[in-house]
Every structure is written in C-alpha cells, then in structure tokens.
Amino acid sequence: MTVLPDDGLSLAAEFPDATREQWQSLVAGVLRKSGRDLSGPAAEDALSTTLQDGLTTRPLYTADDAPGDSGYPGFAPFTRGGRPEGGAVSGWDVRQRHSLPDPVRANEAVLSDLENGVTSLWLSVGSAGIPVSGLATALDGVYLDLAPVALDAGAEFGPAARALLKLYEERGVARHAARGTLGADPVGELARTGREVTGLREEAAELAALCDREYPGLRAITVDALPYHEGGASDAQELGCSLATGVGWLRDLTAAGLTVEAACGQIEFRYAATADQFLTIAKLRAARRLWARVAEVCCAGPGAGAQRQHAVTSSVMMTRRDPWVNMLRTTVASLAAGVGGADAVTVLPFDHALGLPDAFARRIARNTSTILLEESHLGRVIDPAGGSWYVERLTDDLAHAAWAWFQEIERAGGQRAALHDGLIAERLAATWRERSGRLARRREPITGVSEFPQLSGPPVERDPAPAPPGGGLPVVRRDEAYETLRARSDAYLAATGARPRVFLAALGPAAAHTARATFATSLFQAGGIEPVHDPVTVDAASAAGAFTRSGAAVACICSSDALYAEAAAPVAEALKAAGALQVFLAGRPGEQRETYVRAGVDEFVVAGGDAIAVLTSVLDRMGVA
C-alpha cells in the first residue's frame, strides 16, 4: 500500500464533514412526516432492527462503530481469513455432496461433477447414504490424489475411514498426497440421534493420531454445527456449540498424546450458510476469531488457530413448494460463504428438500460456485467484507454473544453434558419458537411459500432420500407450518377435485381495492386456499350473488377505509346471509370495529397478523382434514 504525502490538496477539502447529529436531524424530519415525533438518538433507534441473540443492526455505521483492529488475513485472530493470500487464485474448494445409496449411480454422479467443476467430494456413507462396502465402486475412476474426499458416516466413521485408507493403498496414492476429511464426529452423532456409542471418541482419537503421523493432508475430526442449525439454533448458538465441541476435542486429543498444535490441525469445522448474507459473513469471520482465541488460551503456536471451515447452504431455508426459488437462496448463501472466507463451500441442490437430487439440480448447484468464482472472480479478493464498519461491528457483536453461550455450555460440563441434560435442546427450542412466531406473522417472509405462493402447476417430485437417523435434536424447516396447511389443501383437492376457496369481495374501483385484495390473495394462497376475485362487486346484493356463484365457503372484504365506512357492514351481513362460514375484512378496523363485528365480520386480517392461526381456522371451519 502506498501512503501519499499530505500536500494540502484534499479532494473533499471544500466540503465540511457531516456529523451524526445532522444525519439524525434529517431522519427526524422524515419521521415527522409519517406522524412520529422523534429526534436525536431516538430517531436513529426507530430505524434499527433487532436480530436474534440480542443483536441490533443500525441504519448508519461510521468509523466510530469499528470494534478495533481485526488484524490481517492469515494472521491471528484470523478474522480476515485463515491464509494471507485469501482465496486467490483458485478460490474456495467446490465440494459437492453425494448420498445416493446405489454405488453405481453415485459413481456416475461423482464423475460427472468432477468433470464439470467440482474440486472435492462430500460423501454420505453408511445407513444414510453409500454403503461402506460400496465406497470403492462409488469412487471408481476418481483420481484420489487430485480430488479430496470428505466422509460423513455418522457412527460408522471408523469402518468408512478404514475403507478409504485401504483404497488409497490399493490405488497407489502416496500417503502425503491423500487429502480430505475422515469425518469422525461422535458429538454430532449424539446431537442427531440422542445416543452416545461407547468407544467412538477413542476410535476418533486413534484416527487423529494416525493422520497426524502418516497422512499430513488428512484431517480426522469434523466439528459439525449443522445439527444445531437444523435444530433451530441462532447463529450465536451454532457458533457456541461448535466452540464447545472443538474444545472437547482438544481435551480428548491432547489426552491421547497429540500436541495442541497437532490437535488443532486435525479438526475441520462445518457451518451453515443462509440467505441472510451479512449474518453468514459475520458468522464465519467470528468463528475464526473465536477459535483463534481458544487456541491462544490453550497456548498453541501462532499459526495453529487458523480454523478450517466447510460452509454448507442451509437446509432449514430450503422449501418444498416452488423449489426453484431455492436457487436464489443458495446463490446468496454461497456468495456469503465465499465472502466470509470459507475454505470449502457446498451448495445443496434446489430440490434437496424433496429427496435425491437429479442431474440438473446437481449441475445448477456446482455451477453456482463456478459462476461466482470464474465470472465474478469473487475468490480473487482477499476478505471482501474487511473494512465494512457494519460487518466489522456485526462480527464483533456476534462473537461476544457466541462466547457467552460457549461459556455457559462449559459451565454445564461441556458440549456432551449439555446435550445429555437437555440444556441445548431447551435453548434451541426456545429460539425456534420465537422464530416460528415471526414466520407465522410473515415478519420473516418465505418467497414462494408465505409470499407469492403458487397454487397451480405440477409438483416437483424426486426419489426419496435415505431417512436420517433421528432421535436427537429435531430437524426444523422454515416452511413447515405452511407445508402442513398446503398438505391439507392437497388432500382436499384430491378428495373433491377442487381446492378450498375464499371469495374476495372487492368493493369499489380497482384503485380502492387492489392493494388489499393483493394482500389477501397472497395470505390465503399461503394456506392452499384459492381466492376467487370478483372485481365488479359494488354493493351488498352483488356481493352476495357473486359469493354464491364462487363456490367458496368463506369470504374476505377488500377495499379502502373510506369505502369500508360506507359498505363493509351491509356487505358482511349479506355474505353471512348467503352462507359464508367466516367473513374477514382486510385491514385495521379502527373505531368501526364493533360495527363491523355486529354486522358479521369474524376477523380482521392485517400485515403482521398471525397468518398460520388465520389459515388454520379457515381450513378447520371448512372441515378440511
């Protein structure tokens, strides 16, 4: 970097520095126009957003918000990256996941991916994927000295690891050329299944010692944070659980004879990347900083704390309805993982939630990383988020929240103890309940599900994937409450030949009713209820007639507040007289609430209301099983 001398010729010399107070004054002026009389910091607070883990994002960040020195890429605390050169020139490792139970079909998919841009393989082995006995077939034709392999075999990691090591020997792969991860993860298995198999930790420690002695390019241990993310954890909870698991491994591996540096070198961390790009970027940066702190406290050498990260696009955010939108989600998530500095990135296929992916879905998944790397050249930029005051502050806040949760787990006896006594399950359940409330109220919208849902068109169908073991932490999805409603609608369609219907009584001209009719359409479609819209409804008689012709069982009145005052009450009475089981009114009733209720309005649907409760009541009233 070249530092230019101060020659007195500043480009912005004639413009005085704007102060935060001036900006707050401008914000206050805008808020007053909307009826909110706030000033100073209160005006700024009005535009702030509260996140999980007690975090807050503000509308303005300046250099005063920077938390301090983040260091340099490749140097402790590794916030800015584990390597000085960042991802340049090759970028991150494009790691594709494979879980086809048929080794022959798995081999076809593996070879296709490797021929078209994938740089490493993530193989689900054992009961939830490729049989251990079929590993050689699945890897037939793969140059194992060029393509790293990451195993994910649950409790069968020992036999799977031995099968892979045997394969290296049989194919003449030099031990120093073998690269990848053996995937020993007994703590993750405990989190997923609720069972702790005796001897797995000792077996994992033996594999780590073997890799340390003879396979310098292999890591034996995976600290998989996905079970916590998939169990409903917040970002700080996911980080805290991964730290506690990692510290437990340092204790076990050093007790088995490895140095702290060697133990750190045997661990790879796996995190979820979501479509909340800035939180994902901050999470990966915070994870490196926190692990560097753990290594420092354990007196490891200066380079040992560089965390090896594998980022996987979140399965929680994937939807079963309108799965094509998942392409957008995974694109944002993979971009965030790359910007956040992940060493390896797995983009789950857009049809992941439906079963085993087809060839097209795998191609789109691998091409997502390829486009980001080869066309956007994202991997050529070292720490792209570095210097953003927003990201730096978010990273710092998230790191402190995660460290507090990590300390609580440690006080409870460590990660295994916290899993056994239910502390982690209890906290994750509370977090998910809070988030479920936001999803139900569409405060966290799901495109294609709770917003802009599509009722027409054939469903996307895939072969079923091997069932996960289960028995431990739950597996949640953002779309699960809406999926339950849509399944009820599908059953009704199959039984009757039509979906449940709601009549939209749109009063007055289009300018008066379009906004609320559009809102109501999206709301009811989210529950699989087909809106029937009659734009010529002008009075009570025509509303009742149109309702009868629609074949709907419930109705929703949509118009402006001015027209509601004139016509909503008589229209509601007419709809009830015509047989409407429920009558809704789109919008807030204000002082006319009692009038509308007496006329027959059962409920008022508004932005921020509990959509799940409303839609469930409609299907219940219609008798939809």
Side-chain angles (χ1 to χ4, degrees):
M1 179 179 69
T2 302
V3 179
L4 297 176
D6 183 4
D7 57 5
L9 299 176
S10 172
L11 290 175
E14 67 274 25
F15 299 105
D17 291 337
T19 66
R20 197 180 200 105
E21 289 72 23
Q22 288 175 310
W23 181 83
Q24 289 172 348
S25 177
L26 293 173
V27 171
V30 174
L31 291 174
R32 277 194 294 272
K33 293 178 181 179
S34 62
R36 305 176 69 181
D37 189 10
L38 300 169
S39 62
E44 185 174 346
D45 291 341
L47 301 182
S48 298
T49 302
T50 301
L51 309 176
Q52 289 183 308
D53 303 310
L55 307 183
T56 300
T57 58
R58 306 187 65 79
L60 176 68
Y61 287 87
T62 69
D64 295 335
D65 297 297
D69 187 8
S70 297
Y72 296 96
F75 296 90
F78 301 104
T79 305
R80 303 193 63 194
R83 296 178 293 172
E85 71 275 17
V89 170
S90 60
W92 58 82
D93 173 15
V94 181
R95 183 175 295 179
Q96 190 88 319
R97 182 176 184 270
H98 292 274
S99 58
L100 284 165
D102 183 349
V104 175
R105 289 181 60 199
N107 178 250
E108 294 172 356
V110 161
L111 294 178
S112 175
D113 283 344
L114 290 173
E115 290 168 359
N116 291 281
V118 166
T119 56
S120 72
L121 303 171
W122 178 20
L123 304 182
S124 180
V125 181
S127 58
I130 304 165
V132 173
S133 60
L135 189 58
T137 301
L139 293 174
D140 186 30
V142 175
Y143 294 101
L144 295 175
D145 54 341
L146 299 178
V149 175
L151 298 178
D152 186 358
E156 299 177 71
F157 68 80
R162 289 191 291 273
L164 181 61
L165 295 178
K166 180 181 178 182
L167 206 56
Y168 286 141
E169 296 295 329
E170 292 175 348
R171 297 190 182 176
V173 177
R175 296 193 174 191
H176 70 271
R179 292 177 296 135
T181 306
L182 300 183
D185 185 27
V187 181
E189 182 70 5
L190 170 62
R192 292 186 188 278
T193 67
R195 301 185 300 275
E196 187 165 20
V197 180
T198 303
L200 288 188
R201 290 165 58 211
E202 293 77 10
E203 187 174 16
E206 291 174 4
L207 282 175
L210 174 64
C211 289
D212 181 57
R213 288 194 313 268
E214 303 180 23
Y215 295 90
L218 286 180
R219 294 172 185 251
I221 309 297
T222 297
V223 172
D224 191 352
L226 297 187
Y228 313 109
H229 171 76
E230 293 167 359
S234 67
D235 291 293
Q237 289 171 333
E238 182 184 348
L239 287 176
C241 288
S242 73
L243 278 186
T245 303
V247 168
W249 278 118
L250 291 184
R251 295 189 181 108
D252 288 348
L253 296 181
T254 52
L258 275 69
T259 65
V260 175
E261 292 81 4
C264 288
Q266 285 302 308
I267 303 174
E268 179 176 270
F269 289 77
R270 184 177 294 142
Y271 295 109
T274 73
D276 191 328
Q277 61 180 352
F278 291 109
L279 268 175
T280 295
I281 293 167
K283 178 169 67 177
L284 296 175
R285 299 173 96 247
R288 289 193 297 273
R289 173 182 171 184
L290 293 170
W291 186 243
R293 177 57 178 160
V294 167
E296 180 185 22
V297 171
C298 294
C299 302
Q307 187 185 69
R308 175 78 181 181
Q309 293 179 338
H310 174 202
V312 183
T313 57
S314 166
S315 63
V316 176
M317 71 179 181
M318 306 288 267
T319 62
R320 287 158 279 194
R321 306 286 171 160
D322 200 2
W324 314 102
V325 184
N326 290 331
M327 296 184 198
L328 304 180
R329 300 184 179 101
T330 55
T331 298
V332 175
S334 56
L335 180 147
V339 172
D343 299 284
V345 177
T346 295
V347 177
L348 295 180
F350 72 86
D351 53 1
H352 174 79
L354 300 172
L356 294 172
D358 65 5
F360 172 73
R362 289 197 311 274
R363 177 167 68 87
I364 293 297
R366 65 177 180 256
N367 283 354
T368 300
S369 280
T370 300
I371 291 171
L372 291 173
L373 289 169
E374 302 299 333
E375 295 189 14
S376 300
H377 302 292
L378 197 63
R380 294 174 182 257
V381 183
I382 301 174
D383 186 27
S388 163
W389 296 317
Y390 167 45
V391 173
E392 298 287 5
R393 171 52 61 187
L394 187 59
T395 298
D396 186 68
D397 291 345
L398 185 57
H400 280 89
W403 190 262
W405 170 234
F406 159 65
Q407 288 180 312
E408 185 173 350
I409 295 173
E410 285 293 286
R411 286 193 295 269
Q415 184 71 5
R416 292 171 49 250
L419 283 168
H420 280 298
D421 66 19
L423 171 64
I424 291 174
E426 177 185 336
R427 292 297 180 82
L428 267 56
T431 299
W432 183 247
R433 280 196 300 272
E434 186 272 334
R435 189 177 180 188
S436 295
R438 296 203 313 274
L439 290 164
R441 288 172 172 77
R442 302 197 293 177
R443 300 292 191 190
E444 182 180 334
I446 312 172
T447 304
V449 176
S450 67
E451 301 290 338
F452 311 110
Q454 299 290 328
L455 295 187
S456 59
V460 179
E461 297 182 351
R462 293 291 185 265
D463 294 335
L473 297 174
V475 177
V476 302
R477 291 188 187 275
R478 290 200 309 160
D479 69 350
E480 57 188 17
Y482 294 97
E483 179 65 24
T484 299
L485 297 171
R486 293 291 295 271
R488 293 176 67 180
S489 172
D490 289 347
Y492 188 88
L493 174 63
T496 67
R499 291 196 181 276
R501 291 180 178 177
V502 57
F503 172 70
L504 302 186
L507 307 181
H513 68 243
T514 296
R516 281 172 169 161
T518 300
F519 162 79
T521 295
S522 183
L523 169 67
F524 287 106
Q525 284 181 332
I529 302 168
E530 181 183 355
V532 180
H533 186 186
D534 187 341
V536 298
T537 302
V538 293
D539 54 30
S542 63
F547 171 77
T548 301
R549 293 191 300 273
S550 72
V554 299
C556 181
I557 303 171
C558 305
S559 192
S560 65
D561 291 343
L563 280 175
Y564 282 161
E566 298 175 9
V571 168
E573 291 177 351
L575 290 171
K576 274 295 178 72
L581 299 177
Q582 279 180 301
V583 175
F584 296 91
L585 185 142
R588 301 186 184 278
E591 298 177 355
Q592 301 295 318
R593 172 182 287 272
E594 293 304 319
T595 300
Y596 297 151
V597 170
R598 285 195 301 271
V601 174
D602 297 287
E603 194 164 347
F604 303 91
V605 289
V606 298
D610 192 333
I612 295 298
V614 168
L615 297 171
T616 300
S617 73
V618 172
L619 293 178
D620 289 346
R621 186 69 65 91
M622 290 182 180
V624 178

